[in-house]
Amino acid sequence: MKKTMVLAFALVLIIALTGCGAKESAGTKYKFATDAAYAPMEYMDKDKLTGFDIDFLGEVMKEAGLPFEVAHTGWETMLTSVKQGSEYKGGIASISITDERKQSYDFSMPYFESVNMILVKEGSTIKNATDLKDKKVAVQISTTADILMSKIMGADNKSLKRLDNNTLAFMELDNNGVDAVVADIAIIREYVKNNPKKKIVAIADPQNFESEYYGILLPKGSELKTKLDASIKKVIENGTYSNVYKKWFGQEPDTKKLLEQK
């Protein structure tokens, strides 16, 4: 009888522990890191985190049925913490998918087409990326702009200023500390739009700057990738993505081109 009671107690204990585990799993909130210095993609509006990426991630996670939160950590901290995969399960901050990054991270399927642009002051003799070779240029460190300009100017060129964020890069241009800033098209266009009194010019150079695609940054082997890919595809196909895109950019996205990317 004692043996029966012991077995019964053990069975109850197993059921209780299993129930607790299931409840904890169901209530798991996925934490994402971002660098909120990329208006209109992600930025702080007073004390609120907002932007295209934030709205887009919200729709993707809603489609996936997964609770989440996003924290502003800064660029370098985001890259490090997502790679570790302990606290933050993903990162979203206009992160271009590159072969180099894919050695250290997994990415969701592409969700945004971008390209780098050049920002200069009116009257500048700079017309394209090759004109930057002997100039002073500001970029955000560890971005594709940094990679591109390192190839053009030389990785050890002291005239290439690698800064913590694009806000600092724009300040360098304002203060005549550099001749140009190179950054993503959405960030430069937003800066020009928000500063109509500044005599600045945005330059496109498709010959030297090819299209890039943003993805959600994930730790290697992340179980989230399959879920996110399915949800992103659904959000693009059902028109939700277009609605978010038009809200922030005022035009229709090329969703066909997005879905064709591997």
Coordinates of all heavy atoms in Angstrom, one line a residue, residues 2 8 22 66 79 93 117 128 147 167 205 209 246 256-257:
K2 N 1.9 1.2 0.8 CA 2.9 2.4 0.8 C 3.5 2.6 -0.5 O 3.7 3.7 -1.0 CB 3.9 2.1 1.9 CG 3.4 2.3 3.3 CD 4.6 2.1 4.3 CE 4.1 2.3 5.7 NZ 5.2 2.1 6.7
A8 N 1.7 6.9 -6.6 CA 0.7 7.8 -6.9 C 1.2 9.2 -6.6 O 0.9 10.2 -7.4 CB -0.5 7.6 -6.0
A22 N 4.8 23.6 -19.0 CA 4.0 24.0 -20.2 C 3.5 25.4 -20.1 O 3.5 26.2 -21.0 CB 2.8 23.0 -20.3
L66 N 3.2 35.0 -31.0 CA 4.3 34.9 -30.0 C 4.4 36.3 -29.3 O 4.5 37.3 -30.0 CB 5.6 34.6 -30.7 CG 5.7 33.3 -31.4 CD1 7.1 33.2 -32.2 CD2 5.6 32.1 -30.5
L79 N 24.6 43.5 -31.4 CA 25.3 42.4 -32.1 C 25.9 41.4 -31.2 O 25.8 40.2 -31.4 CB 26.4 43.1 -33.0 CG 26.0 44.0 -34.1 CD1 27.2 44.6 -34.8 CD2 25.1 43.2 -35.2
A93 N 17.3 46.1 -36.6 CA 17.8 47.5 -36.6 C 18.3 47.8 -38.0 O 19.5 48.2 -38.1 CB 18.8 47.7 -35.5
M117 N 23.6 55.5 -49.5 CA 23.7 56.8 -50.2 C 24.8 57.6 -49.5 O 25.3 57.3 -48.4 CB 22.3 57.5 -50.1 CG 21.2 56.9 -50.8 SD 19.7 57.9 -50.9 CE 20.2 59.1 -52.1
N128 N 30.1 60.9 -56.6 CA 29.9 59.4 -56.5 C 30.8 58.8 -55.4 O 31.6 59.6 -54.8 CB 30.0 58.7 -57.8 CG 31.4 59.0 -58.5 OD1 32.4 58.9 -57.8 ND2 31.4 59.4 -59.7
I147 N 31.9 48.8 -44.2 CA 32.5 47.8 -45.1 C 32.8 48.3 -46.5 O 33.9 48.2 -47.0 CB 31.6 46.5 -45.2 CG1 31.5 45.9 -43.8 CG2 32.2 45.5 -46.2 CD1 30.4 44.8 -43.8
T167 N 23.6 59.5 -36.0 CA 23.4 60.8 -35.5 C 24.8 61.6 -35.3 O 24.9 62.7 -35.7 CB 22.7 60.8 -34.1 OG1 21.4 60.1 -34.3 CG2 22.4 62.1 -33.6
D205 N 24.3 56.3 -55.8 CA 25.4 55.8 -56.7 C 25.2 54.3 -56.9 O 25.9 53.4 -56.3 CB 26.7 56.0 -56.0 CG 27.9 55.7 -56.9 OD1 27.6 55.2 -58.0 OD2 29.0 55.8 -56.5
F209 N 27.2 51.2 -55.2 CA 26.4 50.7 -54.0 C 25.3 49.9 -54.5 O 24.3 50.4 -55.0 CB 25.9 51.9 -53.2 CG 26.9 52.8 -52.5 CD1 26.6 54.1 -52.2 CD2 28.2 52.3 -52.3 CE1 27.6 54.9 -51.6 CE2 29.2 53.1 -51.7 CZ 28.8 54.4 -51.3
K246 N 3.6 51.6 -46.5 CA 3.0 52.9 -47.0 C 2.9 53.9 -45.9 O 3.0 55.1 -46.1 CB 1.7 52.6 -47.6 CG 1.8 52.0 -49.0 CD 0.4 51.8 -49.7 CE -0.4 50.7 -49.1 NZ -1.6 50.5 -49.8
K256 N 7.2 41.6 -54.7 CA 7.6 40.5 -55.6 C 9.1 40.3 -55.5 O 9.6 39.2 -55.4 CB 7.1 40.8 -57.0 CG 7.5 39.6 -58.0 CD 7.0 39.9 -59.4 CE 7.4 38.8 -60.3 NZ 7.0 39.1 -61.7
K257 N 9.8 41.4 -55.6 CA 11.3 41.3 -55.5 C 11.7 40.8 -54.1 O 12.7 40.0 -54.1 CB 11.9 42.7 -55.7 CG 13.4 42.7 -56.0 CD 13.8 44.1 -56.4 CE 15.3 44.1 -56.7 NZ 15.8 45.4 -57.1

